[in-house]
PDB file of all heavy atoms in Angstrom:
ATOM      1  N   PHE A 420      79.310 112.889  87.708  1.00 78.00           N
ATOM      2  CA  PHE A 420      78.847 113.452  86.540  1.00 78.00           C
ATOM      3  C   PHE A 420      78.713 114.981  86.707  1.00 78.00           C
ATOM      4  O   PHE A 420      78.506 115.344  87.854  1.00 78.00           O
ATOM      5  CB  PHE A 420      77.439 113.028  86.076  1.00 78.00           C
ATOM      6  CG  PHE A 420      77.475 112.007  84.971  1.00 78.00           C
ATOM      7  CD1 PHE A 420      76.852 110.809  85.146  1.00 78.00           C
ATOM      8  CD2 PHE A 420      77.872 112.299  83.671  1.00 78.00           C
ATOM      9  CE1 PHE A 420      76.896 109.835  84.075  1.00 78.00           C
ATOM     10  CE2 PHE A 420      77.900 111.411  82.675  1.00 78.00           C
ATOM     11  CZ  PHE A 420      77.286 110.169  82.928  1.00 78.00           C
ATOM     12  N   HIS A 421      78.725 115.767  85.652  1.00 73.00           N
ATOM     13  CA  HIS A 421      78.558 117.231  85.749  1.00 73.00           C
ATOM     14  C   HIS A 421      77.224 117.639  85.413  1.00 73.00           C
ATOM     15  O   HIS A 421      76.924 118.616  84.779  1.00 73.00           O
ATOM     16  CB  HIS A 421      79.541 117.953  84.757  1.00 73.00           C
ATOM     17  CG  HIS A 421      80.948 118.009  85.458  1.00 73.00           C
ATOM     18  ND1 HIS A 421      81.390 119.244  86.081  1.00 73.00           N
ATOM     19  CD2 HIS A 421      81.875 117.202  85.633  1.00 73.00           C
ATOM     20  CE1 HIS A 421      82.627 119.097  86.569  1.00 73.00           C
ATOM     21  NE2 HIS A 421      82.863 117.778  86.246  1.00 73.00           N
ATOM     22  N   LYS A 422      76.155 116.684  85.718  1.00 73.00           N
ATOM     23  CA  LYS A 422      74.859 116.876  85.418  1.00 73.00           C
ATOM     24  C   LYS A 422      74.000 116.007  86.320  1.00 73.00           C
ATOM     25  O   LYS A 422      74.370 114.921  86.688  1.00 73.00           O
ATOM     26  CB  LYS A 422      74.415 116.588  84.012  1.00 73.00           C
ATOM     27  CG  LYS A 422      72.942 116.821  83.496  1.00 73.00           C
ATOM     28  CD  LYS A 422      72.804 116.717  82.044  1.00 73.00           C
ATOM     29  CE  LYS A 422      71.392 116.807  81.688  1.00 73.00           C
ATOM     30  NZ  LYS A 422      70.954 118.264  81.906  1.00 73.00           N
ATOM     31  N   THR A 423      72.775 116.504  86.745  1.00 77.00           N
ATOM     32  CA  THR A 423      71.885 115.660  87.512  1.00 77.00           C
ATOM     33  C   THR A 423      70.765 115.191  86.597  1.00 77.00           C
ATOM     34  O   THR A 423      70.152 115.937  85.833  1.00 77.00           O
ATOM     35  CB  THR A 423      71.194 116.585  88.622  1.00 77.00           C
ATOM     36  OG1 THR A 423      72.187 117.096  89.594  1.00 77.00           O
ATOM     37  CG2 THR A 423      70.292 115.702  89.445  1.00 77.00           C
ATOM     38  N   PHE A 424      70.528 113.772  86.763  1.00 79.00           N
ATOM     39  CA  PHE A 424      69.490 113.166  85.833  1.00 79.00           C
ATOM     40  C   PHE A 424      68.182 113.001  86.732  1.00 79.00           C
ATOM     41  O   PHE A 424      68.326 112.653  87.867  1.00 79.00           O
ATOM     42  CB  PHE A 424      70.005 111.900  85.347  1.00 79.00           C
ATOM     43  CG  PHE A 424      71.167 112.089  84.352  1.00 79.00           C
ATOM     44  CD1 PHE A 424      72.361 111.996  84.734  1.00 79.00           C
ATOM     45  CD2 PHE A 424      70.822 112.381  83.034  1.00 79.00           C
ATOM     46  CE1 PHE A 424      73.432 112.107  83.886  1.00 79.00           C
ATOM     47  CE2 PHE A 424      71.840 112.594  82.097  1.00 79.00           C
ATOM     48  CZ  PHE A 424      73.255 112.489  82.475  1.00 79.00           C
ATOM     49  N   PRO A 425      67.124 113.295  86.175  1.00 82.00           N
ATOM     50  CA  PRO A 425      65.769 113.292  86.991  1.00 82.00           C
ATOM     51  C   PRO A 425      65.341 111.892  87.280  1.00 82.00           C
ATOM     52  O   PRO A 425      64.622 111.620  88.223  1.00 82.00           O
ATOM     53  CB  PRO A 425      64.833 113.845  85.960  1.00 82.00           C
ATOM     54  CG  PRO A 425      65.283 113.682  84.564  1.00 82.00           C
ATOM     55  CD  PRO A 425      66.832 113.722  84.709  1.00 82.00           C
ATOM     56  N   THR A 426      65.887 110.860  86.541  1.00 87.00           N
ATOM     57  CA  THR A 426      65.486 109.475  86.910  1.00 87.00           C
ATOM     58  C   THR A 426      66.666 108.600  86.676  1.00 87.00           C
ATOM     59  O   THR A 426      67.563 108.809  85.719  1.00 87.00           O
ATOM     60  CB  THR A 426      64.268 108.991  85.854  1.00 87.00           C
ATOM     61  OG1 THR A 426      63.858 107.602  86.259  1.00 87.00           O
ATOM     62  CG2 THR A 426      64.637 109.013  84.459  1.00 87.00           C
ATOM     63  N   PRO A 427      66.837 107.539  87.571  1.00 89.00           N
ATOM     64  CA  PRO A 427      68.124 106.622  87.435  1.00 89.00           C
ATOM     65  C   PRO A 427      67.938 105.744  86.218  1.00 89.00           C
ATOM     66  O   PRO A 427      66.905 105.471  85.651  1.00 89.00           O
ATOM     67  CB  PRO A 427      68.089 105.922  88.737  1.00 89.00           C
ATOM     68  CG  PRO A 427      66.583 105.875  89.202  1.00 89.00           C
ATOM     69  CD  PRO A 427      66.058 107.156  88.675  1.00 89.00           C
ATOM     70  N   ILE A 428      69.186 105.375  85.800  1.00 90.00           N
ATOM     71  CA  ILE A 428      69.219 104.365  84.667  1.00 90.00           C
ATOM     72  C   ILE A 428      70.138 103.302  85.183  1.00 90.00           C
ATOM     73  O   ILE A 428      71.258 103.448  85.687  1.00 90.00           O
ATOM     74  CB  ILE A 428      69.923 105.019  83.401  1.00 90.00           C
ATOM     75  CG1 ILE A 428      69.235 106.253  83.091  1.00 90.00           C
ATOM     76  CG2 ILE A 428      69.957 104.010  82.367  1.00 90.00           C
ATOM     77  CD1 ILE A 428      70.026 107.067  81.835  1.00 90.00           C
ATOM     78  N   TYR A 429      69.568 102.064  85.072  1.00 92.00           N
ATOM     79  CA  TYR A 429      70.311 100.870  85.457  1.00 92.00           C
ATOM     80  C   TYR A 429      70.695  99.957  84.297  1.00 92.00           C
ATOM     81  O   TYR A 429      69.782  99.701  83.368  1.00 92.00           O
ATOM     82  CB  TYR A 429      69.576  99.995  86.474  1.00 92.00           C
ATOM     83  CG  TYR A 429      69.071 100.818  87.723  1.00 92.00           C
ATOM     84  CD1 TYR A 429      67.801 100.982  87.975  1.00 92.00           C
ATOM     85  CD2 TYR A 429      70.173 101.441  88.478  1.00 92.00           C
ATOM     86  CE1 TYR A 429      67.349 101.771  89.057  1.00 92.00           C
ATOM     87  CE2 TYR A 429      69.638 102.186  89.637  1.00 92.00           C
ATOM     88  CZ  TYR A 429      68.321 102.342  89.868  1.00 92.00           C
ATOM     89  OH  TYR A 429      68.053 103.023  90.946  1.00 92.00           O
ATOM     90  N   ILE A 430      71.865  99.543  84.074  1.00 91.00           N
ATOM     91  CA  ILE A 430      72.373  98.881  83.075  1.00 91.00           C
ATOM     92  C   ILE A 430      72.916  97.549  83.618  1.00 91.00           C
ATOM     93  O   ILE A 430      73.967  97.530  84.307  1.00 91.00           O
ATOM     94  CB  ILE A 430      73.480  99.611  82.127  1.00 91.00           C
ATOM     95  CG1 ILE A 430      72.855 100.922  81.729  1.00 91.00           C
ATOM     96  CG2 ILE A 430      73.995  98.769  80.997  1.00 91.00           C
ATOM     97  CD1 ILE A 430      73.901 101.844  81.009  1.00 91.00           C
ATOM     98  N   HIS A 431      72.442  96.348  83.192  1.00 91.00           N
ATOM     99  CA  HIS A 431      72.838  95.017  83.621  1.00 91.00           C
ATOM    100  C   HIS A 431      73.332  94.214  82.480  1.00 91.00           C
ATOM    101  O   HIS A 431      72.787  94.348  81.483  1.00 91.00           O
ATOM    102  CB  HIS A 431      71.804  94.230  84.377  1.00 91.00           C
ATOM    103  CG  HIS A 431      71.050  95.085  85.492  1.00 91.00           C
ATOM    104  ND1 HIS A 431      69.758  94.613  85.829  1.00 91.00           N
ATOM    105  CD2 HIS A 431      71.479  95.999  86.230  1.00 91.00           C
ATOM    106  CE1 HIS A 431      69.439  95.550  86.862  1.00 91.00           C
ATOM    107  NE2 HIS A 431      70.440  96.332  87.140  1.00 91.00           N
ATOM    108  N   PRO A 432      74.436  93.491  82.656  1.00 90.00           N
ATOM    109  CA  PRO A 432      74.935  92.634  81.646  1.00 90.00           C
ATOM    110  C   PRO A 432      74.002  91.543  81.390  1.00 90.00           C
ATOM    111  O   PRO A 432      73.438  90.908  82.390  1.00 90.00           O
ATOM    112  CB  PRO A 432      76.299  92.114  82.096  1.00 90.00           C
ATOM    113  CG  PRO A 432      76.121  92.153  83.670  1.00 90.00           C
ATOM    114  CD  PRO A 432      75.235  93.358  83.869  1.00 90.00           C
TER     115      PRO A 432
END
Side-chain angles (χ1 to χ4, degrees):
F420 258 122
H421 281 258
K422 181 177 178 63
T423 300
F424 294 97
T426 184
I428 304 170
Y429 302 119
I430 304 172
H431 304 158

